[in-house]
Amino acid sequence: MRLDSTAKWAVYAAFTVAFVGGIAVAGSSAELAQIAPRASAAVAQIFPGAAVLGYGEETEGDVAFYEVKVEFGDRQAQVEVTADGRVGEIESVVPAEGLPQPVRATLTRLTEGGSVTEIEKHEVRGVPRRGTFEPVVPPAMQYEVSYVIDGARRQRTIGQNGELLAAESDDDGGDDDAEDDRDTD
């Protein structure tokens, strides 16, 4: 349904700010009732006082969860959380300066001659198994790096110890590391 600008303002004016489990949530009371209290409480525990900007319902394998977008200070994150409060992954955009040294070293080597466009930190706190997120202890950190070299957009995932975790992809979704993937026996 498309709304003209007058109708959009009327809808925005009708929204209220409410609190669910200590998290400020922008939206109507009908929308707020759709977020499970234990999920909301789990997000509040991770990001006390954060404002919920929105959420959606997702499924990965046999795990149904909310993807909740929060804002805390001048930063934002997305949290995967099941209705019973189990957390899967927390995603946020981070600056290169805040990366662990092994990750920064790999990033520098990987993007030599290019420019970094975005770094997403993925904090894996749970993996989908048996209908829920089973905890990963300690949480695993991964950094998804988007960058441009010679006009080509590329993306790689770097592990918390600086190891490359995924094959390189470009803007066509192809694998530019075909030579690395070949069996050389």
Side-chain angles (χ1 to χ4, degrees), residues 23-24 42-56 66-81 87-94 118-125:
I23 306 173
V43 175
Q45 184 178 12
I46 298 166
F47 297 105
V52 173
L53 301 177
Y55 63 91
Y66 298 103
E67 188 171 84
V68 182
K69 186 172 185 177
V70 297
E71 181 175 57
F72 51 102
D74 62 347
R75 298 188 55 207
Q76 294 182 1
Q78 289 184 349
V79 182
E80 296 176 350
V81 60
V87 176
E89 214 174 284
I90 301 171
E91 246 178 68
S92 58
V93 174
V94 296
E118 184 175 78
I119 303 169
E120 280 187 3
K121 177 182 174 183
H122 294 254
E123 181 178 339
V124 181
R125 291 191 176 192

Side-chain angles (χ1 to χ4, degrees), residues 151-155 169-174 176:
R153 291 177 283 160
R154 302 171 189 265
Q155 192 173 63
S169 62
D170 59 18
D171 55 357
D172 296 327
D176 287 345

